Amino acid sequence: MKTVNAIESMTRYTGMAVEASYVALDEPEEWLSFSQQGDQPHEWESRLVIEGMHCAACAINVEKALKSVPGVLSADVNATSRRARLTWSADVTKPSDWIRAVSLAGYQVLPAADAFMQDDRRKNQRLMLWRLLVAGFCMMQVMMYAIPSYYASPGEMTAEALNLMRWASWILTMPVLLFSCGPFFNNALNDLKQHQISMDMPVTLGILITFLVSTAATFEPTGWWGSEVYFDSLTMFVFFLLTGRWIELRMRDRTAGALDALMRRLPSSVERLKSDGNFERIAVRNINVGDVVRVLPGEAFPADGTIMLGTTSADEALLTGESRPVTKIVGSEVIAGSHNLNASVQVRVDKVGQSTRYAQIVALMERVAVDKPRLAILADRIARPFLLAVLFAAVGSAAILWQVDHSRALMVAVAVLIVTCPCALSLATPAAMLTVSGALARSGVLVRRMQALEALTTINTIVFDKTGTLTEDRMTVGAIATDDSLSEMQATQIAAALAQYSLHPVSRALVEASKKYPVPDVNLEVGNVQEISGSGLTAHSIYGNLKLGSAQFCVLDSAHINRSSDDVSTVHLVSQQGWLASFEIVEAIKPDAISAIRALQESNIQLQVLSGDKLQSVQRIAHLVGIHQAFGNCTPQDKLAHIQSLQQQARHVAMVGDGLNDGPVLASAHVSIAIGQAVPLAQAQSDFVIMGGQLAMVPHLITQAKRTMRIVKQNLIWAAAYNAICVPLAVVGMLPAWLAGLGMALSSLLVILNAARLSRSSATVLRSV
């Protein structure tokens, strides 16, 4: 409970009261709630949520604050997902040190696994909504007092009436200034304290200049600042800015929704079996390996385990990509985070905490949430110089117009400060990338490296491993040759009668092949079954003594041995009278392999198979799925040399394999994709992990990557065009302050909405897989 208490206290800190909550997280037993052990002793990697960031400059400020702490080895912050990842040495620093540094920079830190994070986020959203509503109400009232002065003809309004309306507008503007503008002012004040700059600095300057000029004109309309008041413009552009930020906040939450959904899948408590046979409800963090827990319908499984009692079905869609419920019986394995759908079951806990597949998936998604694509890094580098240029442009515009009209000069400066928006430029890439990675995660595809999405769009050659990639992890029966006295059905059923007593993969294939035939009319029961390891099976039956196994075990002559091809394994069935049948045992091709290969070929992508198996076997599988280039008998060094040779021919290569073997080959390819649920996610050397093992996801993954990059380019073009058009208009005084505020709000909002289209298109495409 100490972790919960410590984290809960963190969510409530203000001012100096925060010190106690900092220290509460310095105890090593608390670190596992938001960190994991690094590669080196005393090295930890922590995952955090940073509240209060609004632009790329904010992320740079947080990174700067973290890296300034001795003992922090690296820090990466993503403004779009509001997440941070840092590596630190426990010998040099403690969490309180770097949390305090971020707090002093003006931002709030929450552990990524914080159970109270959602409540805190909802609280912030409600507060922002209240700020928005106050700004909107006051804006409408101020506009009601401002409109008469715009439309009144000379002499229609007395000076007293005009002054009364200005005083009313000034009073109605105060709640906007003191309450609604709070986030802008607080962030700008922190920027000044830390000698840094973010997007809220020019916004705050614009708001204050407008208010001060309007206030001066209200109290002393004959001064050098002129008699014009701009309370309507001020309240209007604050309302527009807050509207844009509130919608942007909601859209960002949807963008990171897959990660948050994953992190909320574990239950907070579970029923554990006591020694007296009764159940007690305990916190999930207190269960241990070997415990037996009862999971009720509608609850999530709290750990990886094995069903000991009961039958049910589980929803594993978000963890494995399997969209249909999976039946679970006694002995079935269940995955932490999957949902129990039908009935109460008792589960023996096999893995807990960081060792579960669920924890590995969450760790990967958190890494992606912080990862920055190449274009995003470039945009972030531009953000700070851009803001400085905005300040200089505003000062320059005001200086040029000062001699002509003081009041107009100040309002032109305000328009320049407000209209410029590096946020849209900074959001252009990460908003789209995070949206599509979240959509892919919901469909069972994990993105390990954001930049791979960009690289995937240039791929023109895909190299497939054979075993476990194009083929399933089981054998199947191919061609069957029989004696004239038996049909294929009879031969298969006799062989299956022996094979059912063995767990060998070949025996399993024969048993599976017999299931497609009707129940035999004759009694095929066998007795005295013996399995000779590495050779085959013997048994007694109505056909006499039978043998099922290799040619040597069955003592066959060369005529029967030559019936089989060199590229396949063959098992034979013989009786006392002689040879009865031969069965070719081949690898089973994945059901979607042929359609996936066809889709890739239609995209003009060159396909190859590269395997360590015999060349004939590799060529046979390649021919069956429709791939024309196949290479067998390859060592890991041969595979690496082959990939490098393709790259020297200016080919952009993607490698598709099981994610474990041939690590150097996967690392050397431009893009690597691991397929299969057996992949240990923490060890997989790949850019993408297709957890469900569907080959059809490969062409759809490429399609989604290309669609993502189109959205990114659209966002970048829009952001660049907006600033290129609006900034000059503001500089020459052709853009009023209220319209500048509207433009700034819309610029970021359009980028987020455009990126959100990826989520809908991804869902449509991926449902067809």
Side-chain angles (χ1 to χ4, degrees):
M1 291 300 293
K2 287 191 295 184
T3 299
V4 175
N5 293 334
I7 293 175
E8 185 176 13
S9 64
M10 277 194 63
T11 63
R12 298 172 180 170
Y13 69 78
T14 55
M16 297 302 296
V18 72
E19 296 296 330
S21 60
Y22 289 163
V23 178
L25 291 178
D26 281 348
E27 298 181 24
E29 59 265 27
E30 308 292 349
W31 298 347
L32 287 175
S33 65
F34 58 95
S35 307
Q36 61 184 13
Q37 190 75 46
D39 297 331
Q40 303 297 327
H42 306 291
E43 184 178 297
W44 289 81
E45 182 180 289
S46 296
R47 301 171 297 277
L48 309 168
V49 173
I50 310 296
E51 295 290 348
M53 293 193 301
H54 301 290
C55 62
C58 295
I60 295 173
N61 293 337
V62 175
E63 283 187 3
K64 181 181 177 182
L66 289 170
K67 291 177 180 178
S68 67
V69 178
V72 173
L73 307 177
S74 66
D76 298 291
V77 181
N78 190 305
T80 305
S81 63
R82 301 194 303 278
R83 293 183 179 269
R85 181 183 70 241
L86 74 153
T87 306
W88 51 283
S89 173
D91 289 337
V92 182
T93 187
K94 294 291 186 291
S96 61
D97 297 329
W98 38 262
I99 292 175
R100 185 181 296 108
V102 176
S103 177
L104 292 174
Y107 303 92
Q108 184 179 351
V109 183
L110 293 173
D114 187 349
F116 297 91
M117 187 177 68
Q118 283 301 114
D119 292 336
D120 189 72
R121 180 173 295 174
R122 293 191 192 99
K123 178 182 176 182
N124 289 335
Q125 286 184 351
R126 285 195 298 268
L127 181 58
M128 179 171 286
L129 183 58
W130 272 109
R131 297 184 193 275
L132 172 62
L133 292 176
V134 168
F137 175 78
C138 293
M139 176 198 70
M140 289 187 290
Q141 300 306 309
V142 170
M143 289 298 297
M144 182 178 68
Y145 290 118
I147 288 177
S149 64
Y150 292 151
Y151 291 99
S153 302
E156 282 189 324
M157 289 184 63
T158 63
E160 290 77 9
L162 184 61
N163 287 333
L164 179 61
M165 290 184 179
R166 289 186 173 187
W167 275 96
S169 297
W170 182 81
I171 293 173
L172 288 167
T173 303
M174 293 303 293
V176 177
L177 192 75
L178 299 178
F179 177 66
S180 298
C181 294
F184 307 130
F185 293 164
N186 290 333
N187 292 334
L189 183 60
N190 288 322
D191 287 344
L192 290 176
K193 290 179 179 179
Q194 301 297 321
H195 305 289
Q196 59 195 22
I197 187 172
S198 70
M199 193 59 231
D200 286 328
M201 178 65 76
V203 169
T204 297
L205 288 175
I207 291 172
L208 289 178
I209 291 172
T210 305
F211 179 76
L212 292 175
V213 169
S214 300
T215 300
T218 299
F219 284 92
E220 184 55 59
T222 60
W224 59 263
W225 44 77
S227 60
E228 291 293 330
V229 295
Y230 304 95
F231 295 121
D232 53 341
S233 295
L234 188 152
T235 54
M236 193 179 296
F237 69 65
V238 169
F239 174 74
F240 288 149
L241 289 178
L242 289 175
T243 301
R245 285 201 177 180
W246 186 74
I247 297 176
E248 182 182 327
L249 179 64
R250 297 298 300 270
M251 295 302 300
R252 286 190 185 191
D253 286 344
R254 287 183 56 188
T255 298
L259 176 56
D260 291 337
L262 269 176
M263 295 186 67
R264 295 195 303 271
R265 286 182 77 87
L266 285 188
S268 58
S269 63
V270 68
E271 293 183 350
R272 181 174 64 182
L273 181 66
K274 298 194 298 183
S275 56
D276 60 3
N278 295 319
F279 287 89
E280 62 175 345
R281 184 161 287 275
I282 62 170
V284 167
R285 71 178 65 83
N286 293 329
I287 62 174
N288 299 304
V289 174
D291 287 347
V292 175
V293 298
R294 180 167 64 185
V295 182
L296 303 177
E299 289 185 339
F301 292 99
D304 290 353
T306 304
I307 291 185
M308 306 299 293
L309 180 65
T311 301
T312 187
S313 58
D315 177 9
E316 300 179 347
L318 202 58
L319 300 171
T320 67
E322 176 56 61
S323 58
R324 294 167 296 183
V326 181
T327 302
K328 300 292 182 180
I329 60 175
V330 173
S332 298
E333 294 183 351
V334 294
I335 306 173
S338 60
H339 277 96
N340 180 17
L341 297 179
N342 295 340
S344 173
V345 292
Q346 293 184 22
V347 178
R348 184 190 67 230
V349 176
D350 297 332
K351 294 179 181 179
V352 296
Q354 299 298 319
S355 62
T356 62
R357 187 173 181 85
Y358 164 81
Q360 296 174 14
I361 292 173
V362 170
L364 281 185
M365 293 193 67
E366 286 175 335
R367 186 180 297 273
V368 168
V370 179
D371 196 18
K372 293 181 182 179
R374 179 179 55 85
L375 291 173
I377 294 173
L378 179 61
D380 288 354
R381 289 176 180 172
I382 295 173
R384 186 185 291 263
F386 185 87
L387 288 173
L388 292 173
V390 167
L391 296 178
F392 285 117
V395 172
S397 302
I400 293 173
L401 293 173
W402 188 260
Q403 303 300 325
V404 180
D405 186 336
H406 296 341
S407 178
R408 186 185 175 204
L410 291 174
M411 296 315 298
V412 166
V414 168
V416 173
L417 289 170
I418 293 173
V419 75
T420 48
C421 186
C423 297
L425 196 61
S426 299
L427 288 172
T429 302
M433 294 288 192
L434 281 174
T435 300
V436 76
S437 64
L440 289 171
R442 287 190 291 271
S443 303
V445 181
L446 295 183
V447 183
R448 291 176 56 93
R449 191 170 63 92
M450 280 290 195
Q451 294 191 20
L453 281 169
E454 183 179 351
L456 198 58
T457 61
T458 64
I459 293 300
N460 53 27
T461 302
I462 298 180
V463 177
F464 289 92
D465 187 23
K466 177 179 74 70
T467 306
T469 303
L470 294 173
T471 63
E472 295 185 331
D473 297 328
R474 63 179 177 85
M475 312 297 286
T476 187
V477 176
I480 302 175
T482 66
D483 181 73
D484 294 337
S485 62
L486 292 175
S487 65
E488 287 189 5
M489 180 184 71
Q490 292 172 321
T492 304
Q493 291 173 336
I494 296 171
L498 276 74
Q500 65 180 323
Y501 293 96
S502 171
L503 295 177
H504 193 279
V506 171
S507 298
R508 298 295 91 201
L510 287 167
V511 172
E512 192 66 27
S514 69
K515 292 180 180 179
K516 65 182 180 181
Y517 298 118
V519 177
D521 297 330
V522 297
N523 184 7
L524 295 180
E525 289 187 6
V526 296
N528 193 25
V529 180
Q530 296 183 359
E531 183 171 7
I532 291 80
S533 179
S535 298
L537 295 161
T538 63
H540 298 312
S541 73
I542 61 174
Y543 295 96
N545 293 330
L546 297 176
K547 284 186 176 183
L548 178 69
S550 64
Q552 182 178 1
F553 176 67
C554 294
V555 195
L556 292 177
D557 55 31
S558 57
H560 294 109
I561 294 175
N562 291 336
R563 289 176 181 271
S564 60
S565 305
D566 292 336
D567 64 323
V568 295
S569 299
T570 306
V571 62
H572 305 277
L573 177 67
V574 298
S575 67
Q576 291 172 309
Q577 286 73 35
W579 174 80
L580 295 178
S582 295
F583 306 89
E584 287 188 354
I585 305 299
V586 297
E587 293 175 287
I589 297 173
K590 288 188 174 180
D592 59 349
I594 295 176
S595 60
I597 296 303
R598 186 183 301 115
L600 292 170
Q601 289 172 336
E602 290 174 354
S603 300
N604 296 319
I605 296 177
Q606 180 181 326
L607 306 178
Q608 299 181 1
V609 182
L610 198 62
S611 175
D613 289 354
K614 292 186 296 185
L615 177 60
Q616 296 93 331
S617 176
V618 178
Q619 289 176 333
R620 186 183 67 83
I621 295 296
H623 174 72
L624 288 175
V625 299
I627 298 177
H628 305 300
Q629 292 181 284
F631 304 88
N633 301 313
C634 297
T635 64
Q637 291 77 14
D638 294 335
K639 294 180 180 180
L640 181 59
H642 184 82
I643 297 295
Q644 292 173 341
S645 174
L646 290 172
Q647 291 172 335
Q648 290 172 359
Q649 300 170 29
R651 309 294 299 181
H652 290 262
V653 184
M655 180 73 189
V656 183
D658 61 9
L660 286 177
N661 302 321
D662 307 322
V665 180
L666 290 168
S668 65
H670 293 100
V671 176
S672 53
I673 303 172
I675 286 187
Q677 298 183 26
V679 180
L681 299 177
Q683 303 174 21
Q685 304 296 316
S686 60
D687 300 317
F688 302 93
V689 179
I690 301 176
M691 294 184 293
Q694 309 98 321
L695 267 178
M697 290 302 304
V698 176
H700 288 303
L701 185 57
I702 295 175
T703 300
Q704 286 304 106
K706 292 180 178 179
R707 185 177 287 111
T708 301
M709 292 313 299
R710 283 199 300 269
I711 294 293
V712 167
K713 291 176 181 177
Q714 291 170 6
N715 285 347
L716 289 173
I717 291 172
W718 157 250
Y722 164 79
N723 284 286
I725 295 172
C726 292
V727 173
L729 291 176
V731 169
V732 299
M734 297 179 63
L735 202 65
W738 68 269
L739 189 56
L742 178 61
M744 179 185 175
L746 288 178
S747 62
S748 297
L749 187 58
L750 286 177
V751 167
I752 296 291
L753 290 174
N754 195 33
R757 294 194 298 125
L758 282 169
S759 181
R760 294 190 293 271
S761 63
S762 296
T764 302
V765 172
L766 296 172
R767 276 196 295 267
S768 64
V769 179

